[in-house]
Amino acid sequence: MNTLSTATYEINRSSFFSALYSLKTVLPGLLAMFFIAIFSNNLVGVPNPFTLQNLFAWLDGVIGPLHHQSFFQIMNSNFVWNPFLMGLVIGNVFGVPDAWKRGLSYIHLMMPLGIIMLAPHFMFGHAAKLGFIPILICVAALFVTATITLYTGKLLKLDDRQTSIVAGGLATGDPHAGVILMPLIKAKGGQVIGASACVILFGIIAMLVLPLVGPLVGIPDKYFGLAAVTTVGNGAQGLFAAFSMSYEAGRYATWFDVGRHVIMPAGFIYVFVVMFIRKLRNKGNNIIYSTGDMKTFPVWLMVFIFCWVLACLHVFRQPAAHAIFNMVQWDFSMAAAALGLSLPLRDIAQNGLRCFAVTCIAGFVRMALLLAVILICVQTGLLPA
């Protein structure tokens, strides 16, 4: 497919169903995604020992644990980033044949499907034993972080699509939440990866800063674990910060991290709703890009919300939830491979410094607010020692 036909296709594509071509046309691209996926992750049904995931696990064994955490987990190595990295290297070093490009367009179908299948993975009932106040702090941290980030991005005039990715990543504590937001806010691949990289880098900085601040504030080790999982970054980075403080803080961080994890969908749904409403209220505004030309709430997102409600009601039993998540890993592995193959390196660095500034400002404001709230709750007895 030449550049002109690609541009025409992107203009005329009205929904993710428009990405469908004949099997003969898309087969080369689908095979490229498939083989990158099986050499990136340990996927169910493919007993392949030569994967990037196994290589990272071996390197973690060589490096040894860093405050009880694996180095590549701190760097957010998972079933999304592994195939993306492999696709990025292949695409930028060897190039992508035109015969692959129509197959790679299936990413527009696979990402919404993968997001829907994620719903049974988040069962709110798993956090019920944490107590009302810790759950309330986790929920408040999510919405406050997203709001602060969106406002900061607006002040610094960062592209609202990239700001949304940062907001989703910081609020949920998971950088690959940005990939989930990609089809919702119509973000470009470079914006998604650049913003997610900023969230990971901020998490590394925060996991080193928080253990230095903790003793000065005077938060007990038990609730320092709560502060770590709500103010740092991904789960491994939060646990690194907690274990850096003490073993007791790390043990409780493992406990409180469940509260952060089960409410993650609320984070990217909130960011999308805010940007969707902002777009509708500012029709014709050329500096508002998020949600593209979307005029109605996406049907597939409503399906996801419905399935998430069912998951919270424990309609999906554990074996079914595990089986669905195995399918999610296949789906996102192939979609991430397509994203990596189609993304030039120069697109990732665009607005990099401004994006990182937004991430750091919002992240440290969030950290200060949550430390103050947790300290007040401890001193007033709302969080018993």
Side-chain angles (χ1 to χ4, degrees):
M1 191 194 313
N2 58 37
T3 305
L4 180 61
S5 60
T6 303
T8 303
Y9 161 70
E10 288 296 333
I11 293 172
N12 293 332
R13 182 170 61 82
S14 58
S15 74
F16 61 79
F17 289 111
S18 304
L20 300 176
Y21 293 101
S22 67
L23 179 61
K24 181 179 178 181
T25 304
V26 301
L27 189 58
L30 291 177
L31 287 175
M33 295 156 61
F34 175 79
F35 283 111
I36 289 175
I38 65 173
F39 281 100
S40 299
N41 298 316
N42 299 333
L43 299 172
V44 172
V46 184
N48 174 32
F50 304 104
T51 64
L52 197 58
Q53 180 178 344
N54 286 340
L55 175 62
F56 287 156
W58 178 82
L59 290 172
D60 279 331
V62 173
I63 296 170
L66 305 174
H67 291 292
H68 303 273
Q69 296 305 301
S70 300
F71 174 77
F72 285 100
Q73 288 300 306
I74 292 172
M75 299 303 295
N76 206 57
S77 170
N78 56 37
F79 64 90
V80 175
W81 292 101
N82 293 344
F84 166 75
L85 289 174
M86 188 172 287
L88 187 69
V89 171
I90 293 172
N92 283 274
V93 174
F94 302 102
V96 177
D98 287 343
W100 292 11
K101 292 181 180 178
R102 289 185 176 178
L104 299 182
S105 70
Y106 264 59
I107 187 176
H108 300 295
L109 175 63
M110 298 177 73
M111 291 188 70
L113 178 62
I115 295 170
I116 291 172
M117 291 192 295
L118 268 177
H121 188 55
F122 304 102
M123 298 185 181
F124 189 78
H126 289 171
K129 294 182 180 180
L130 297 181
F132 176 73
I133 297 300
I135 292 176
L136 183 61
I137 289 174
C138 289
V139 173
L142 184 147
F143 291 115
V144 169
T145 302
T147 303
I148 291 172
T149 307
L150 293 175
Y151 181 72
T152 305
K154 189 175 181 181
L155 283 180
L156 297 187
K157 297 182 180 179
L158 179 66
D159 188 300
D160 57 352
R161 292 167 293 186
Q162 201 158 14
T163 301
S164 299
I165 304 299
V166 174
L170 281 181
T172 60
D174 198 330
H176 77 258
V179 180
I180 297 174
L181 275 166
M182 182 180 177
L184 288 170
I185 61 169
K186 308 301 181 184
K188 297 178 181 179
Q191 293 173 326
V192 173
I193 303 306
S196 300
C198 288
V199 173
I200 294 172
L201 184 56
F202 169 77
I204 295 172
I205 296 171
M207 77 184 190
L208 299 173
V209 170
L210 189 64
L212 300 177
V213 177
L216 300 177
V217 177
I219 294 177
D221 287 358
K222 177 179 179 179
Y223 297 113
F224 184 86
L226 176 60
V229 299
T230 54
T231 64
V232 177
N234 65 34
Q237 291 171 341
L239 292 177
F240 179 101
F243 277 115
S244 297
M245 180 73 171
S246 70
Y247 178 79
E248 186 77 356
R251 187 167 67 89
Y252 275 103
T254 306
W255 171 260
F256 287 123
D257 192 51
V258 177
R260 174 196 67 85
H261 184 265
V262 296
I263 61 170
M264 281 174 54
F268 65 79
I269 292 172
Y270 173 74
V271 171
F272 166 72
V273 170
V274 170
M275 303 311 292
F276 182 67
I277 293 173
R278 183 184 295 180
K279 181 72 173 181
L280 293 180
R281 287 180 174 177
N282 296 273
K283 292 181 180 179
N285 191 330
N286 294 329
I287 64 170
I288 296 179
Y289 303 103
S290 59
T291 72
D293 295 326
M294 195 181 297
K295 295 181 177 62
T296 58
F297 203 85
V299 174
W300 64 266
L301 184 58
M302 290 190 284
V303 174
F304 169 84
I305 295 172
F306 176 72
C307 292
W308 186 33
V309 172
L310 294 181
C312 292
L313 296 174
H314 290 267
V315 172
F316 300 100
R317 297 303 176 184
Q318 206 63 16
H322 284 306
I324 294 171
F325 191 68
N326 289 334
M327 296 170 63
V328 170
Q329 290 182 313
W330 266 106
D331 184 282
F332 271 104
S333 292
M334 294 182 66
L339 179 59
L341 286 170
S342 58
L343 185 60
L345 281 172
R346 64 180 178 274
D347 290 354
I348 299 176
Q350 190 174 8
N351 290 324
L353 291 177
R354 187 176 300 179
C355 182
F356 186 60
V358 169
T359 308
C360 288
I361 293 171
F364 283 120
V365 169
R366 181 263 306 269
M367 183 182 293
L369 288 175
L370 281 173
L371 286 175
V373 168
I374 293 173
L375 183 60
I376 291 172
C377 289
V378 170
Q379 291 180 342
T380 57
L382 291 174
L383 291 173

